[in-house]
Amino acid sequence: MIASLEFIRLSFGKFNDLMFDGVLPPVRIVLSKARTFVGKMEYKVIRDRYGNVIGHSDYILKISTLFNFRQEELEDIIIHEMIHCYIAFRNIKDSSVHGKAFQHMMDAINAEFGRNISIRHNGNTLNGSASEQDSPSARIATRRMVCVSEFIDGKKGITVCTPAKTIAINFGLRQYSNILKLSWFASDDPFFESYPLSRKPRVYRINEEELAQHLSTAQPLSIKGFKLF
């Protein structure tokens, strides 16, 4: 079956009551023609003045209509995204996008309700396979440039931007006297999607261990003059 607004709305309400004690906030439901994902939960990140995440808002559940599923499979996709919604709404700190907290909830729901929720969505699309969402060419659309600033006090911070802004932001950050070193990376880790795309040099403090984990698959970059390598 192809996802419809009515089916998603009814499923969300049913599973919210059945599996999440009815605590999930209202979400806006959007049908998409995306090939790069099957389901996606989006929301705004609320930060304090120091860059710490203190909450989330404006939840949007997106489901692609290019994928054709059995009803049970589509339900599992919706529940998968509802777990993301629950973790964000409760502001639960997880080790990664599909980290220990996510997997604990997923395993508990699968065991109690006989579901088959998984980390990756599988199924058939009308023009290809759902595995396309994990291919390098599909994920390139989400790639972000990440600048790591090392401060005099030994702490680190990051600035996330589009490729078009790297040179300007690099120049701006170099004007800060308390920054010792700048390191650039290209990453498609969804973790960095929670940070706003900067148009001006703005740095968010981050735990060094957490940063290292999410940069483990990133591509190191160099800036020479006005070129990015």
Side-chain angles (χ1 to χ4, degrees), residues 38-217:
V38 178
K40 180 187 291 188
M41 180 63 66
E42 296 182 347
Y43 42 78
K44 291 183 179 178
V45 179
I46 304 171
R47 298 179 184 274
D48 62 19
R49 59 182 297 185
Y50 303 105
N52 300 310
V53 177
I54 59 175
H56 303 84
S57 65
D58 300 343
Y59 297 86
I60 303 174
L61 173 56
K62 293 184 177 181
I63 301 291
S64 177
T65 57
L66 290 186
F67 296 83
N68 190 11
F69 292 97
R70 292 184 292 107
Q71 178 174 325
E72 294 80 6
E73 291 174 330
L74 181 54
E75 289 175 343
D76 285 343
I77 290 167
I78 294 170
I79 299 168
H80 175 118
E81 301 308 327
M82 292 174 74
I83 296 175
H84 283 305
C85 182
Y86 183 90
I87 289 174
F89 181 66
R90 292 297 197 190
N91 207 24
I92 298 172
K93 186 175 179 61
D94 206 352
S95 56
S96 65
V97 176
H98 295 113
K100 294 180 179 179
F102 182 95
Q103 293 184 44
H104 176 76
M105 290 189 64
M106 179 183 72
D107 292 343
I109 290 173
N110 283 340
E112 182 174 355
F113 298 99
R115 306 303 310 192
N116 292 293
I117 309 163
S118 62
I119 296 298
R120 292 185 177 183
H121 302 315
N122 297 307
N124 295 319
T125 174
L126 297 180
N127 297 293
S129 73
S131 61
E132 289 175 355
Q133 65 176 313
D134 295 310
S135 68
S137 60
R139 297 183 68 186
I140 194 69
T142 63
R143 177 159 289 194
R144 281 161 163 71
M145 302 298 109
V146 181
C147 183
V148 178
S149 297
E150 298 183 30
F151 292 90
I152 294 175
D153 61 7
K155 296 182 179 180
K156 293 185 177 181
I158 64 172
T159 305
V160 181
C161 68
T162 63
K165 292 293 182 180
T166 53
I167 303 300
I169 287 178
N170 185 74
F171 177 81
L173 290 175
R174 289 194 177 279
Q175 310 312 306
Y176 286 74
S177 60
N178 61 335
I179 295 179
L180 292 177
K181 181 181 177 182
L182 299 177
S183 302
W184 282 91
F185 301 85
S187 175
D188 54 11
D189 188 324
F191 171 79
F192 295 109
E193 294 181 19
S194 65
Y195 287 83
L197 289 173
S198 297
R199 296 177 178 231
K200 297 180 179 180
R202 182 177 181 182
V203 181
Y204 295 92
R205 297 283 182 137
I206 188 172
N207 176 273
E208 189 167 351
E209 183 178 341
E210 182 179 33
L211 175 61
Q213 175 186 350
H214 291 288
L215 285 179
S216 61
T217 59

Side-chain angles (χ1 to χ4, degrees), residues 22-43:
V23 302
L24 295 185
V27 301
R28 184 160 68 93
I29 299 171
V30 175
L31 297 180
S32 169
K33 293 187 181 296
R35 297 180 183 276
T36 57
F37 66 84
V38 178
K40 180 187 291 188
M41 180 63 66
E42 296 182 347
Y43 42 78

